[in-house]
Amino acid sequence: MSDQIISISIPPFPDFIEGNVRVFKPGQNHPDRQNLGYFDLLFVKKGCLFLAEADQKYTIRENQMFILLPNEHHCAWKPVAEETEFYWIHFYTTAPWKQAPRSSRLESQLPIPDRHFHQRSYTLHLRKQATIKEPKLLFQLIQEILASTSVDSLDSIWRTEELFLRFLKFIENQGVYKDRLTVIAEQVHLFLENHFNQTITNKTLEQHFHLHSNYIAIAMKTTFSKTPLELLEEIRLDRARNYLLNTDLGIKEIAQLVGFNSEVYFSNRFKKKERYSPQKYRRHYKNN
């Protein structure tokens, strides 16, 4: 099963396009498509789908969900072997998104002000492939979305979009199975994303989560293949790259903004990761 996570920046909110239920008879193939421009959510109710995306083969079994990316070629790598029933939902977004082995915190590209009352930014995290925790409930929610599209009223589009956004939140938080280590790792990762510019140690995590640091480390290594502090440094360096390319802030100020107490230490860690010092990195990529 794929361990990839798809992170999508909000706002803007994703838009529901269309959806339906389909039944394949033995020997049928999923259509061969590429560059659709929208995400394709699949939920297998019965049987099994065999899909390939970007030369990677996946098997999506009964009571599993799967997400096809908008910009990749996908097709069946073999026909279904039994009658297979599945729901599909297409949705579209103009927001930044990323598929990676770990969740990513993405910044909205909308001009959100930093003062007064304003819309908060959020990153939606969806597993590329996951086992559905409560299949009957999830399929019922999908049916409600689909049924709302057949209502003949001027404001039915609002109802459909409301149901769809609630559905995305449901499958992000509680609609799929996650073992305890995964849940803990995701909570720690979110904490690191939200507090990366502060002083964080293993003791900090122990006190915040009321768990031994060794247990937290096991959860992180199992889920993200990194210790909490390794992941924290990766997050900080990601933010530093953004500052270097999109602002004229000095290196010392950037180091402080992303949580490094020492400009020298920041420069050394950055160079080890990128093979360029922060100054050379900025000059090289801004010029190109």
Side-chain angles (χ1 to χ4, degrees), residues 181 184-185 188 202 204-222 226-228:
L181 287 180
I184 291 170
V188 173
N202 286 323
T204 307
L205 299 176
E206 278 190 343
Q207 292 173 346
H208 183 83
F209 292 98
H210 306 291
L211 295 169
H212 195 281
S213 59
N214 288 344
Y215 188 77
I216 294 174
I218 291 171
M220 297 299 286
K221 289 286 285 185
T222 301
K226 293 179 176 66
T227 68

Side-chain angles (χ1 to χ4, degrees), residues 93-210:
T93 183
T94 57
W97 61 269
K98 179 181 180 180
Q99 178 176 290
R102 66 176 181 86
S103 54
S104 304
R105 186 172 180 269
L106 302 178
E107 296 292 335
S108 174
Q109 293 182 349
L110 294 182
I112 299 175
D114 59 2
R115 60 186 183 276
H116 308 307
F117 297 105
H118 63 273
Q119 174 68 284
R120 295 184 181 276
S121 60
Y122 178 79
T123 304
L124 177 72
H125 299 120
L126 300 175
R127 292 180 172 276
K128 185 173 186 66
Q129 183 174 8
T131 300
I132 301 168
K133 183 184 288 187
E134 299 178 74
K136 288 185 178 179
L137 175 57
L138 184 134
F139 295 137
Q140 180 182 339
L141 293 174
I142 296 176
Q143 284 283 15
E144 289 180 6
I145 295 171
L146 301 183
S148 73
T149 64
S150 62
V151 176
D152 188 16
S153 67
L154 293 175
D155 62 353
S156 62
I157 188 173
W158 299 104
R159 177 61 176 164
T160 299
E161 193 66 18
E162 177 188 7
L163 290 172
F164 176 63
L165 292 177
R166 287 183 178 179
F167 179 74
L168 287 180
K169 192 63 179 170
F170 174 79
I171 61 176
E172 178 188 40
N173 287 338
Q174 61 198 68
V176 298
Y177 278 108
K178 299 178 184 178
D179 58 46
R180 177 167 168 75
L181 287 180
T182 300
V183 171
I184 291 170
E186 289 182 347
Q187 290 174 346
V188 173
H189 177 247
L190 184 60
F191 178 85
L192 296 176
E193 288 276 8
N194 291 332
H195 299 87
F196 67 89
N197 57 347
Q198 301 173 17
T199 300
I200 297 176
T201 64
N202 286 323
K203 191 68 176 178
T204 307
L205 299 176
E206 278 190 343
Q207 292 173 346
H208 183 83
F209 292 98
H210 306 291

Side-chain angles (χ1 to χ4, degrees), residues 6 8 14-16 18-20 30 33 36 38-44 49 51 60 64-70 74 86-92 124 126-129 138 142 145 164 167-169 171:
I6 298 169
I8 303 172
D15 293 312
F16 173 86
E18 60 179 345
N20 211 334
H30 190 279
R33 295 169 174 157
L36 290 178
Y38 47 75
F39 289 93
D40 190 354
L41 292 173
L42 302 172
F43 304 88
V44 177
L49 288 173
L51 297 178
I60 304 94
Q64 286 187 351
M65 64 164 284
F66 188 75
I67 304 177
L68 291 166
L69 302 179
H74 65 261
F86 63 97
Y87 287 94
W88 56 269
I89 291 177
H90 295 161
F91 75 90
Y92 175 78
L124 177 72
L126 300 175
R127 292 180 172 276
K128 185 173 186 66
Q129 183 174 8
L138 184 134
I142 296 176
I145 295 171
F164 176 63
F167 179 74
L168 287 180
K169 192 63 179 170
I171 61 176

Side-chain angles (χ1 to χ4, degrees), residues 102 192 202 217 220-221 224-237 269 273:
R102 66 176 181 86
L192 296 176
N202 286 323
M220 297 299 286
K221 289 286 285 185
F224 298 118
S225 301
K226 293 179 176 66
T227 68
L229 298 186
E230 286 172 343
L231 187 56
L232 175 62
E233 181 174 282
E234 188 172 302
I235 292 168
R236 286 172 169 169
L237 294 177
R269 299 307 299 168
K273 177 75 174 179

Side-chain angles (χ1 to χ4, degrees), residues 249-267:
L249 295 173
I251 305 305
K252 183 177 182 179
E253 188 173 359
I254 291 175
Q256 293 173 342
L257 284 172
V258 300
F260 286 92
N261 294 325
S262 164
E263 178 185 353
V264 173
Y265 182 69
F266 162 65
S267 296

